[in-house]
Amino acid sequence: MEYGESFVDTLKREFKEDGGFEVTPIKLLQLMDQDFYTYPNGDKVQPINAFFLVKLANHKHFATKPTETNETKFWSLDQQPPHFFNGQHEEMWQILRKELDK
């Protein structure tokens, strides 16, 4: 999040920079502020994430930052991705599934 940015502005910018897609936020699903973990270098962090349901604004794909993104992939909601970076990502998947099952 850049100084002065809202969560929505950050969401749109990060999706475009890191995923290569323009998105439109639909709904805030959850504010996540109680996760703690330690990076391999020993840094301890408490990330704060606003988790949104989004939709593609268009089908144009933009170049991503090669230092931050190796690959983007869409997953069917019927098939959970085979691995997650951390427990927070698995929790986000479950929140999304619960929302879409309503």
Side-chain angles (χ1 to χ4, degrees), residues 66-84:
T67 57
E68 295 188 23
T69 304
N70 294 324
E71 176 184 26
T72 57
K73 183 175 183 176
F74 288 93
W75 291 93
S76 165
L77 292 172
D78 297 330
Q79 180 185 11
Q80 179 173 307
H83 64 279
F84 296 100

Side-chain angles (χ1 to χ4, degrees), residues 20-35:
F21 298 100
E22 289 183 328
V23 297
T24 301
I26 303 299
K27 178 181 179 181
L28 175 65
L29 297 178
Q30 188 163 330
L31 185 63
M32 304 173 79
D33 61 358
Q34 290 299 302
D35 290 305

Side-chain angles (χ1 to χ4, degrees), residues 44-92:
K44 295 181 183 212
V45 296
Q46 179 184 1
I48 299 172
N49 293 293
F51 184 43
F52 283 84
L53 178 64
V54 301
K55 70 176 182 178
L56 284 176
N58 59 57
H59 292 283
K60 183 175 180 183
H61 189 262
F62 297 87
T64 59
K65 292 181 179 179
T67 57
E68 295 188 23
T69 304
N70 294 324
E71 176 184 26
T72 57
K73 183 175 183 176
F74 288 93
W75 291 93
S76 165
L77 292 172
D78 297 330
Q79 180 185 11
Q80 179 173 307
H83 64 279
F84 296 100
F85 177 71
N86 59 38
Q88 186 180 55
H89 292 154
E90 186 166 359
E91 181 182 355
M92 292 167 130

Side-chain angles (χ1 to χ4, degrees), residues 1-7 9-10:
M1 185 173 226
E2 303 291 339
Y3 182 77
E5 260 186 336
S6 68
F7 278 121
D9 290 340
T10 301

